[in-house]
Amino acid sequence: MARILIAGCGYVGLATARLFHAGGWQVEGWTASQDSAAKLKGEPFPVHAVDLTNAVAVRARASSFDAIIHCAASGGGGPDAYRAVYRDGARHLLEIFPQAQLLFTSSTSVYAQKDGELVNEESAAEPSRETGQILRETEELVLAAGGIVARLAGIYGPDRSALLQKFLRGEAIIDPARDHFVNQAHRDDIAAALLFLIEQRRSLAAPRIFHIADNAPILQSDCYRWLAARLQRPAPPHGESTAPRKRGDSNKRVANAKLRQLGWQPRFPDFATAMEESILPSFGVLGS
């Protein structure tokens, strides 16, 4: 039985671990804290508390894995947290498990394009933010070792949607001057794509960089208008948005054609489908 390590059993990682287990893989999960590991004791695979930033802690769990997915999160931290969790964590996994295929979940925030252009895996990835630069450094480290990089669009899914939460709290603003394309990927589509990439790992040609995003980037203003119509609530007011954007001030449309051409297809291909079939029901706010 093939063995996989899911290094980071959070929102995406846990769904991914469950999918691999259902697919017949022998799964081991890691999480950052003992409390998190304890909450996952009921899973049908072991979950251990391991600090990826600590080489000694990683080495203490040394075992034989066919593949490793590095999907740990920085916890919203800044550059120091990014270096420790992403770059150093990847380096530790590569050094201590040299025979395993490593897949690193990066982010489409590495693209700084601002004119709404379509970006693919060959587009310039030159982030202006230091955190994005650290992600690029980690990507290059993983690729140089023969690994795989999956650049994730904004993650949403059951009980998680920043746009929906802002809309429901009455904090949403439509700012024509700062309107931009939103690129998203449903949690379950990400998990399915990660399983697909690992299972196809031996046949993937270099450069092994792949976007995981839905099929239809959508303007943020259109997201809010769709929610207003679907939930039969007033649309957000027009105004000037001063809040910093989590993924920076870029404005681009992320293409997923490379992964789709290999055979992966998202179950939730667009914002409306994801909202109708998964996210709105989880928030308990479906309109009539």
Side-chain angles (χ1 to χ4, degrees):
M1 184 181 295
R3 298 193 71 226
I4 187 162
L5 168 63
I6 308 296
C9 275
Y11 186 71
V12 168
L14 181 57
T16 302
R18 289 170 174 168
L19 194 60
F20 271 88
H21 180 267
W25 286 70
Q26 185 176 344
V27 177
E28 180 173 320
W30 289 1
T31 188
S33 70
Q34 293 286 356
D35 287 345
S36 296
K39 292 176 183 177
L40 299 178
K41 280 188 175 179
E43 296 295 329
F45 46 82
V47 180
H48 304 284
V50 180
D51 181 2
L52 273 183
T53 70
N54 185 328
V56 174
V58 175
R59 196 174 297 279
R61 288 298 314 170
S63 185
S64 175
F65 296 105
D66 297 280
I68 298 173
I69 296 179
H70 178 355
C71 54
S74 67
D80 289 344
Y82 269 60
R83 287 189 191 90
V85 174
Y86 300 130
R87 186 196 64 189
D88 296 347
R91 181 176 290 121
H92 296 155
L93 292 171
L94 288 169
E95 291 175 352
I96 295 169
F97 305 98
Q99 302 305 315
Q101 175 72 75
L102 179 64
L103 186 156
F104 171 59
T105 57
S106 184
S107 167
T108 56
S109 65
V110 299
Y111 297 107
Q113 285 82 344
K114 295 180 179 292
D115 297 325
E117 60 261 53
L118 190 70
V119 297
N120 60 30
E121 290 83 351
E122 297 179 358
S123 299
E126 300 170 347
S128 57
R129 289 188 173 188
E130 188 176 3
T131 50
Q133 294 164 9
I134 294 165
L135 288 177
R136 285 290 294 119
E137 184 180 351
T138 306
E139 289 182 355
E140 293 301 326
L141 181 71
V142 171
L143 293 170
I148 302 166
V149 169
R151 291 176 177 161
L152 311 186
I155 302 165
Y156 68 162
D159 303 314
R160 177 167 170 170
S161 171
L163 286 171
L164 176 59
Q165 288 175 311
K166 288 183 71 173
F167 179 84
L168 295 175
R169 292 195 300 259
E171 298 172 358
I173 295 174
I174 294 177
D175 182 352
R178 296 187 69 196
D179 203 5
H180 61 280
F181 283 98
V182 175
N183 300 277
Q184 298 186 106
H186 191 283
R187 177 200 66 186
D188 296 347
D189 285 333
I190 296 171
L194 296 178
L195 174 62
F196 178 85
L197 286 170
I198 290 295
E199 290 186 333
Q200 299 293 319
R201 64 192 184 279
R202 293 185 179 88
S203 62
L204 299 176
R208 302 206 288 178
I209 303 172
F210 301 90
H211 292 165
I212 303 179
D214 69 21
N215 297 347
I218 181 173
L219 286 171
Q220 179 176 273
S221 58
D222 288 339
C223 292
Y224 287 142
R225 292 187 184 99
W226 187 92
L227 288 171
R230 180 64 182 86
L231 300 178
Q232 301 179 6
R233 301 188 184 195
H238 283 62
E240 182 179 354
S241 176
T242 58
R245 285 164 46 190
K246 182 178 179 182
R247 290 186 164 227
D249 292 325
S250 64
N251 181 25
K252 71 273 183 176
R253 292 171 294 132
V254 175
N256 66 6
K258 182 178 179 180
L259 190 53
R260 290 173 65 192
Q261 287 168 359
L262 292 178
W264 170 83
Q265 293 291 335
R267 176 185 170 192
F268 303 96
D270 52 47
F271 178 82
T273 303
M275 281 290 163
E276 289 279 12
E277 298 183 7
S278 174
I279 301 171
L280 288 176
S282 74
F283 279 81
V285 292
L286 276 172
S288 59

